[in-house]
Amino acid sequence: MIIRMKKIRKASLLTALAVATSIPVVAQTMNNFDEQAAKSLHANGSMNVVIIVIAVIISGLLIWLWRIDRKLVKLEHEKKDTKS
């Protein structure tokens, strides 16, 4: 069970790393793809709102993953203690 949890943690960290490294690529692609739309969003102040919303969503997902990991570790320790 401990090995499985380590794999889950490793997968979670790799997923977070993949998301974090793909954000700049997506941003560059957006700038190259539709520069006029980006300028109009920025001029209206909407671009800042979009960035903040995306940051809040990603932060929420990372916090949710962290909390699940902590709960699983706690359950794993409890299960290990009951077996002893």
Side-chain angles (χ1 to χ4, degrees):
M1 187 71 161
I2 292 174
I3 294 172
R4 184 174 176 211
M5 289 303 302
K6 287 182 180 179
K7 287 182 181 180
I8 291 173
R9 283 186 193 167
K10 187 176 181 180
S12 298
L13 289 174
L14 289 175
T15 303
L17 181 64
V19 168
T21 57
S22 66
I23 289 173
V25 173
V26 171
Q28 288 175 356
T29 304
M30 182 185 153
N31 286 339
N32 294 335
F33 180 70
D34 198 359
E35 200 170 304
Q36 187 177 10
K39 284 182 181 178
S40 68
L41 282 174
H42 189 66
N44 294 336
S46 299
M47 183 65 84
N48 295 336
V49 174
V50 171
I51 292 172
I52 290 170
V53 168
I54 290 172
V56 166
I57 290 170
I58 291 173
S59 299
L61 287 173
L62 291 175
I63 290 169
W64 178 69
L65 285 173
W66 178 75
R67 289 184 65 206
I68 287 176
D69 182 53
R70 296 294 299 158
K71 288 178 183 179
L72 288 174
V73 167
K74 184 178 176 182
L75 287 172
E76 189 176 87
H77 287 300
E78 287 176 6
K79 185 175 182 180
K80 185 179 178 181
D81 290 341
T82 56
K83 282 187 177 180
S84 299

